[in-house]
Amino acid sequence: MKTLFKTKVCQAVLVFLYRALKVLARKEGRIKREFEGLHEGFTVAMTLSPNGPSFMMKKENGKLKRVRNGNAEIEIKFKSIDSAFLVFTGMMGISRAYSEHRFQLKGDIGETMALVRIIDLAESYLFPSFMNKRILRSLPAKERSTLSVYRMAILGF
């Protein structure tokens, strides 16, 4: 029961994270610049446990798109659904999860660092400040309101 709940929560967060990244890559200056620095065709895959949910996104025609399959340049594979749950619910930052070997990473470290910066900035919009203080090294200033990011991600703008 606990595993099923964690899997469903992580699955929902993956969908919402993708939608928020898609919005922020167009609307938030720092994320937009980081995203523009990634080459065309850049692809990242995230797997939450050996049999858990996963997703893949690709930079295509300057936009972020979800793709069903292909070769990912960066692969992030969480070792367990428990580790993914900690990261996706804001109980642990991605940097700490990496340092504790909670996931495997394959790909170029420079591109991965750009992706981590993008995810950190996205987390600053998605999580409340008391959670961000725990998982981010510093709290970046927001260019948009959190409510507007949620609204655009939910409505698909």
Side-chain angles (χ1 to χ4, degrees):
M1 183 73 164
K2 285 181 181 181
T3 302
L4 179 61
F5 172 75
K6 288 179 180 180
T7 300
K8 293 297 181 187
V9 167
C10 287
Q11 201 168 22
V13 170
L14 272 178
V15 169
F16 198 76
L17 177 64
Y18 164 71
R19 294 178 124 219
L21 287 172
K22 192 172 180 176
V23 166
L24 291 166
R26 290 189 331 256
K27 305 278 186 179
E28 208 276 355
R30 294 162 297 184
I31 292 177
K32 187 176 185 178
R33 283 188 296 280
E34 289 284 355
F35 183 69
E36 287 171 349
L38 299 172
H39 68 276
E40 186 66 24
F42 172 78
T43 308
V44 62
M46 209 176 281
T47 305
L48 303 190
S49 66
N51 297 317
S54 62
F55 89 113
M56 185 180 291
M57 58 186 178
K58 180 178 188 174
K59 181 179 177 182
E60 193 172 277
N61 298 322
K63 296 181 179 176
L64 189 60
K65 300 202 179 209
R66 188 168 183 178
V67 291
R68 297 284 176 212
N69 52 34
N71 293 327
E73 295 167 66
I74 295 177
E75 293 180 50
I76 298 169
K77 294 181 182 181
F78 282 89
K79 293 181 179 179
S80 71
I81 199 69
D82 293 323
S83 293
F85 184 80
L86 290 171
V87 171
F88 287 144
T89 57
M91 291 185 239
M92 177 181 291
I94 191 88
S95 300
R96 180 174 166 201
Y98 178 73
S99 68
E100 292 183 6
H101 305 285
R102 292 182 178 268
F103 62 86
Q104 295 176 336
L105 175 66
K106 290 183 184 176
D108 181 81
I109 194 69
E111 289 178 331
T112 302
M113 293 309 298
L115 180 65
V116 168
R117 285 189 296 273
I118 289 169
I119 290 172
D120 281 350
L121 284 166
E123 285 177 342
S124 74
Y125 282 95
L126 299 176
F127 293 126
S129 60
F130 74 90
M131 290 173 79
N132 283 330
K133 287 177 186 175
R134 198 172 57 219
I135 61 176
L136 299 176
R137 283 179 240 148
S138 63
L139 294 178
K142 295 181 182 180
E143 294 180 9
R144 309 186 81 65
S145 76
T146 297
L147 186 59
S148 71
V149 172
Y150 271 101
R151 183 175 30 94
M152 289 185 278
I154 290 169
L155 298 176
F157 290 171

